[in-house]
Amino acid sequence: MTQFLKSSGGVGLTDLLKDGSKHFSGVDEAVCKNIEACKKLSDITRTSIGPNGMNKIVVNHLGRQFVTSDAATIVREMEVVHPAAKLVALAAKTQEEEIGDNTNLVVVFAGVLLESAEGLLRQGLPQADIISGFTTAAKAVDKEMEKMEVQRVKDLTNVDEVTKALHSSIAAKQYGLEDFLAPLVAKACVQILPKDPANFSVDNVRVAKIPGMTVSESFLMKGFVLTRDSEGTIKHVKGAKVVVFGTEVDLSATETKGNVLIKNAEELMNYSKSEEESMGKIVKEIADTGVNVLVAQTTISEMAMHFLERNSIMVVKCPSKFELARLCKLTGATSLARFGAPLPEEMGAADAVSVDEIGGIKCCTFNRESQEQTRIATIVLRSSTSSSLEDLQRAVENGVNNFKQLTKDPRMVPGAGCTELRLAAFVKDLAEKTPGLEQYAIKKYAETLEIIPQTLAENAGQDTTSTVSDLYAAHAAGNVLHGVNIEEPGTIDVQKKGIFDHMVAKREALSCAATVAVTVLRVDTIIMSKQAGGPAQ
């Protein structure tokens, strides 16, 4: 036994794992490869930053094509599989879910920060010092941003104030259309704002996409738009009393099977007549409650349709349970699990329910124009192509998400790269005061912050070096609210132009990016098991 132990070699990591497993360790194999993957992801989305950002065409595994500059969509549909790059993608997903904006800032800042770390690693700086420097800088930036407030939305019910706050967010996605879309989104948000702004729900602003015409034909409606026709011949009802059924509109059938023996024609007539009488009785009871609009989620039998038409009840089918829930919220109706006459408290109301043709598509609208505040608002978007409609919808959703953040924290910071450059100058001063090797990592963090104004200038076709130099010169001269002018070379006063970013969105994005960069730097070994067998992809 002793002889065997002496003669055998040491046990390597490959001996611990199944055949086909892979492992990488060390700075060159693991850390630098992780950084390279994150840099590649960052490079893809970097050119999409700002109003002049470029679009990307992404075709997902189902063959669906996306033409967009929205980083959240690009990263999601790319289906990143590299373990380290996937961490950055997950950070972007978290930013999208929690804040709803600035996802591109997370991806780009994390990628460039890791690229800066790679240079320090090549120079021999220990990983621990780089991580410590980045963490120190991130905490300092988080505190410093609190002092950079330049604007505050004082009244969330003031459409003009809200429009100014949403202007930059929408311009970043749809440059040139922000003057039209921002007031539209602001009005929609203000209309559905509850008494307690903290209870504002982004799901209550709906978007209906109808191809055709131009964006300037888009409009806002107090109510709900269903992009389908009604089921019967009744197309318009004023002063609607609405009943909603989450079950099929038909007589209930027994679960057991049975045989009916019919001996003559008279018995056959009587058999179907009893069914008709039962259906007629139920529909008459519904009509007697004053209901003149019936909404059903599932099937509506021909016999039920016949009696509903005879009682002048408009019938609308809404297959989506999510849309049905929002329709109930708008009208105040309760979705019933039984087919029968509703109680007074189970019925809803609408000013009018009508079928209108918009761009060749028949749409059923539930209108609540008489109410100053409504629970659901719908923005009907018009454009020539489906891809542009989807991009417009993303811009609208970004605006609504920003309004949601305003209900929590109304503070705004300068936009157009101004905040990042001021933070870069602050972090450089911090590096000068910091002893030890950490100062090199803090300096690199400051240089990384300059990537945002550089990218804004680059995407606008300007010289990045001269633009950043002009900005530093303007800030040194006391013009600390100057940012990148994307329309012509030079700087611009963001206060006068009304270019503001939401403080929480930017702070969370920078914090999230720094956290994921530090997480990637802490990894020194990657172990990948062999993929489980399955059908060929």
Side-chain angles (χ1 to χ4, degrees):
M1 183 72 175
T2 311
Q3 184 83 24
F4 173 73
L5 287 171
K6 284 180 182 176
S7 62
S8 62
V11 177
L13 185 58
T14 49
D15 299 319
L16 300 176
L17 306 173
K18 285 184 178 180
D19 290 340
S21 298
K22 299 176 186 176
H23 76 279
F24 308 95
S25 61
V27 172
D28 287 329
E29 272 201 348
V31 181
C32 289
K33 281 186 177 179
N34 286 348
I35 290 172
E36 189 64 31
C38 296
K39 275 165 55 183
K40 288 254 187 340
L41 184 62
S42 171
D43 290 341
I44 290 169
T45 62
R46 184 181 159 188
T47 53
S48 296
I49 278 188
N52 289 324
M54 305 298 286
N55 283 343
K56 306 286 184 286
I57 295 179
V58 184
V59 181
N60 68 7
H61 67 290
L62 298 173
R64 188 180 172 193
Q65 181 174 298
F66 296 84
V67 183
T68 182
S69 62
D70 181 55
T73 306
I74 294 166
V75 171
R76 183 180 66 247
E77 299 303 331
M78 277 172 60
E79 296 182 9
V80 178
V81 293
H82 189 281
K86 206 167 186 178
L87 288 173
V88 178
L90 287 171
K93 184 182 176 184
T94 302
Q95 178 75 7
E96 176 68 14
E97 289 173 352
E98 294 295 323
I99 306 296
D101 199 9
N102 275 329
T103 48
N104 209 345
L105 179 57
V106 174
V107 178
V108 172
F109 190 71
V112 179
L113 198 58
L114 286 168
E115 188 177 354
S116 301
E118 185 181 18
L120 293 172
L121 286 169
R122 298 288 187 199
Q123 291 169 18
L125 206 69
Q127 278 173 261
D129 287 324
I130 298 171
I131 290 167
S132 178
F134 283 175
T135 306
T136 303
K139 287 178 181 176
V141 161
D142 201 51
K143 288 181 182 176
E144 182 65 18
M145 203 179 289
E146 293 280 342
K147 305 172 187 174
M148 292 190 176
E149 179 191 340
V150 290
Q151 181 84 2
R152 184 184 286 254
V153 179
K154 295 173 183 174
D155 184 6
L156 287 170
T157 59
N158 188 319
V159 175
D160 291 335
E161 263 195 85
V162 174
T163 300
K164 287 176 185 175
L166 304 183
H167 197 271
S168 298
S169 162
I170 293 172
K173 291 285 183 291
Q174 293 291 330
Y175 185 51
L177 297 174
E178 66 274 12
D179 290 333
F180 175 76
L181 288 175
L184 208 63
V185 176
K187 285 175 189 171
C189 294
V190 170
Q191 278 178 11
I192 64 162
L193 185 67
K195 288 181 181 178
D196 182 3
N199 295 329
F200 176 85
S201 173
V202 294
D203 290 330
N204 291 345
V205 178
R206 307 307 306 153
V207 174
K209 298 173 289 186
I210 300 175
M213 303 298 285
T214 59
V215 180
S216 59
E217 300 296 320
S218 303
F219 61 91
L220 171 67
M221 199 196 86
K222 279 185 182 179
F224 190 79
V225 177
L226 201 61
T227 51
R228 61 185 298 138
D229 194 3
S230 65
E231 295 298 307
T233 58
I234 303 167
K235 304 295 180 186
H236 302 278
V237 172
K238 284 188 177 180
K241 283 193 175 181
V242 184
V243 63
V244 178
F245 291 109
T247 182
E248 59 182 16
V249 179
D250 199 358
L251 292 174
S252 57
T254 57
E255 292 182 5
T256 56
K257 291 183 179 180
N259 296 321
V260 178
L261 182 62
I262 296 172
K263 296 178 181 177
N264 52 47
E266 188 180 350
E267 287 182 0
L268 178 61
M269 291 292 288
N270 290 335
Y271 178 76
S272 59
K273 194 173 181 182
S274 62
E275 190 178 2
E276 285 180 20
E277 286 173 356
S278 298
M279 178 62 77
K281 185 181 176 184
I282 292 171
V283 173
K284 185 72 170 64
E285 287 173 356
I286 293 171
D288 287 344
T289 61
V291 167
N292 50 16
V293 176
L294 182 146
V295 181
Q297 185 181 355
T298 56
T299 55
I300 303 160
S301 70
E302 289 183 10
M303 190 186 298
M305 197 71 223
H306 165 72
F307 284 106
L308 288 165
E309 287 280 307
R310 279 180 61 177
N311 285 275
S312 302
I313 297 175
M314 182 178 180
V315 182
V316 180
K317 193 174 177 182
C318 180
S320 168
K321 63 179 181 181
F322 303 108
E323 289 187 338
L324 197 74
R326 289 178 190 115
L327 187 58
C328 288
K329 186 181 282 189
L330 173 73
T331 58
T334 304
S335 180
L336 302 176
R338 54 174 176 78
F339 177 51
L343 298 172
E345 61 269 21
E346 292 173 334
M347 293 191 294
D351 296 345
V353 179
S354 60
V355 176
D356 304 301
E357 193 168 326
I358 307 173
I361 296 175
K362 289 189 175 179
C363 301
C364 189
T365 59
F366 291 76
N367 207 313
R368 296 306 301 262
E369 290 292 341
S370 64
Q371 292 187 333
E372 190 175 337
Q373 292 287 112
T374 181
R375 300 186 72 182
I376 301 283
T378 303
I379 296 174
V380 180
L381 291 175
R382 306 298 310 278
S383 190
S384 54
T385 63
S386 58
S387 60
S388 63
L389 278 171
E390 286 176 1
D391 227 21
L392 283 166
Q393 182 179 3
R394 292 184 198 106
V396 168
E397 287 171 354
N398 269 20
V400 176
N401 283 320
N402 266 280
F403 183 83
K404 172 70 174 174
Q405 297 308 316
L406 287 172
T407 62
K408 298 176 182 177
D409 189 337
R411 294 175 294 172
M412 310 292 286
V413 293
C418 174
T419 300
E420 287 82 0
L421 209 75
R422 285 172 64 183
L423 288 172
F426 165 75
V427 175
K428 279 179 182 176
D429 290 340
L430 176 66
E432 296 295 332
K433 299 171 188 173
T434 306
L437 296 175
E438 283 183 26
Q439 64 176 291
Y440 298 106
I442 295 173
K443 277 181 184 174
K444 284 293 183 184
Y445 192 100
E447 290 171 17
T448 304
L449 283 165
E450 293 175 4
I451 199 68
I452 302 304
Q454 283 177 10
T455 305
L456 288 172
E458 187 182 331
N459 290 347
Q462 299 174 14
D463 181 62
T464 56
T465 308
S466 64
T467 302
V468 173
S469 300
D470 290 346
L471 268 179
Y472 270 123
H475 288 193
N479 300 317
V480 292
L481 293 180
H482 274 226
V484 178
N485 187 348
I486 60 169
E487 293 177 356
E488 56 186 34
T491 63
I492 191 172
D493 190 329
V494 297
Q495 183 91 46
K496 288 180 182 175
K497 288 288 183 180
I499 305 169
F500 305 113
D501 292 332
H502 193 253
M503 183 188 285
V504 171
K506 192 168 284 283
R507 194 174 66 191
E508 288 297 319
L510 291 175
S511 174
C512 194
T515 303
V516 75
V518 167
T519 304
V520 171
L521 285 172
R522 286 186 188 279
V523 175
D524 68 344
T525 304
I526 303 173
I527 302 167
M528 300 171 68
S529 298
K530 185 181 178 183
Q531 292 271 331
Q537 296 294 321

